[in-house]
Amino acid sequence: MSYQQVADDVFLINGTDVNMVLLRDGRDLTLIDAGWYGDAARIEAVLDKLGHRPQDINAILLTHAHLDHVGAINHLHAYGIPAYTSAAEVPHAKGEVHESATPLDVIQRALKDRAALGWALRITRAGGLRKNAVPHIQPFPNEGPLDLPGHPVPISTAGHTSGHTVFHLPEVGAVATGDALVTAHPVSKIEGPQLLPLFFHHNVESAKAALDALEPLDAATVLPGHGPIYTGGIGKAVIEARAAVQV
Ligand SMILES: [Zn+2]
């Protein structure tokens, strides 16, 4: 399965153990996140299945600059597609600061856990050890809803990284939560709404507090950065995530 249709004009694209969200308005598209470096061909294949070309993407929005979300941004920039993230995340995306367990840390941790071993191999094949800075990244052009297909609304959820942003989609009652709230991950022992294992977060206390910004959103559908779609509502997802914090 390479993608799922969430609403008339909203699609979840499955990358290598990571999700992206595609918003459509006629011929025009917005892409939220860009998978791993090696997921570029998958993205292009989904666009093709939907009858689109990469040039139809008006902009890429980045929840945060970890390698499993930045992936194909530079590849797609060859089509002239701009990329935006929060002002606080720009230095991270440009590679001026580092806010993650290094890919090697993550893989070494995974090697201790047989269940995660397959994942470590998959992400290595998908470019998980490559540096992937985005020199052309820009801060969001305005506050509030963005003038892009799907009219996504950036909501600051700093913690997982210093400038992590989720994108509320009020027109369809959904929210793309990136890594502020996920529903599964190959290195997580649990399923359902949750924070990622805490070693993944730049600031653990802020990552926990960021759930407060998600809770009141009007969103029945949760489109996480990792794991399956959750349709029980973001409020319930946050309550479950708070109860499920792992070390
Ligand atoms: Zn992340």
Side-chain angles (χ1 to χ4, degrees), residues 36-109:
W36 289 99
Y37 179 85
D39 287 333
R42 279 195 203 209
I43 296 169
E44 292 215 20
V46 170
L47 293 173
D48 190 55
K49 272 189 208 168
L50 294 173
H52 280 274
R53 303 170 310 151
Q55 292 88 334
D56 296 340
I57 301 173
N58 291 15
I60 302 169
L61 303 177
L62 186 62
T63 59
H64 69 295
H66 282 157
L67 290 169
D68 51 339
H69 299 260
V70 165
I73 285 185
N74 287 319
H75 171 82
L76 292 168
H77 189 58
Y79 298 102
I81 304 167
Y84 301 101
T85 193
S86 72
E89 193 70 6
V90 165
H92 188 198
K94 287 188 172 177
E96 295 164 4
V97 297
H98 296 282
E99 294 197 357
S100 56
T102 68
L104 211 54
D105 289 341
V106 173
I107 287 167
Q108 280 172 346
R109 189 177 167 108

Side-chain angles (χ1 to χ4, degrees), residues 11-26:
F11 304 86
L12 187 90
I13 301 178
N14 306 115
T16 304
D17 297 287
V18 66
N19 300 324
M20 297 155 259
V21 176
L22 188 69
L23 310 176
R24 180 173 67 184
D25 183 356

Side-chain angles (χ1 to χ4, degrees), residues 14-220:
N14 306 115
T16 304
D17 297 287
V18 66
N19 300 324
M20 297 155 259
V21 176
L22 188 69
L23 310 176
R24 180 173 67 184
D25 183 356
R27 291 302 309 162
D28 295 316
L29 304 170
T30 302
L31 180 64
I32 300 175
D33 284 346
W36 289 99
Y37 179 85
D39 287 333
R42 279 195 203 209
I43 296 169
E44 292 215 20
V46 170
L47 293 173
D48 190 55
K49 272 189 208 168
L50 294 173
H52 280 274
R53 303 170 310 151
Q55 292 88 334
D56 296 340
I57 301 173
N58 291 15
I60 302 169
L61 303 177
L62 186 62
T63 59
H64 69 295
H66 282 157
L67 290 169
D68 51 339
H69 299 260
V70 165
I73 285 185
N74 287 319
H75 171 82
L76 292 168
H77 189 58
Y79 298 102
I81 304 167
Y84 301 101
T85 193
S86 72
E89 193 70 6
V90 165
H92 188 198
K94 287 188 172 177
E96 295 164 4
V97 297
H98 296 282
E99 294 197 357
S100 56
T102 68
L104 211 54
D105 289 341
V106 173
I107 287 167
Q108 280 172 346
R109 189 177 167 108
L111 288 174
K112 295 178 192 153
D113 175 355
R114 288 181 63 85
L117 188 56
W119 171 73
L121 296 173
R122 287 195 298 278
I123 67 169
T124 302
R125 276 200 299 270
L129 294 174
R130 281 181 77 104
K131 289 198 171 73
N132 200 1
V134 186
H136 65 277
I137 196 93
Q138 302 171 67
F140 300 130
N142 57 272
E143 304 257 319
L146 299 173
D147 186 19
L148 289 170
H151 303 113
V153 185
I155 310 276
S156 173
T157 43
H160 179 69
T161 61
S162 295
H164 190 287
T165 301
V166 305
F167 296 97
H168 187 208
L169 309 171
E171 292 169 9
V172 291
V175 57
T177 56
D179 284 1
L181 184 148
V182 304
T183 58
H185 191 282
V187 303
S188 170
K189 304 263 186 268
I190 56 174
E191 291 180 6
Q194 60 188 278
L195 291 176
L196 283 165
L198 299 183
F199 84 101
F200 278 121
H201 302 297
H202 181 61
N203 184 319
V204 169
E205 289 312 310
S206 298
K208 291 178 182 171
L211 293 172
D212 298 348
L214 288 175
E215 193 168 19
L217 297 177
D218 180 12

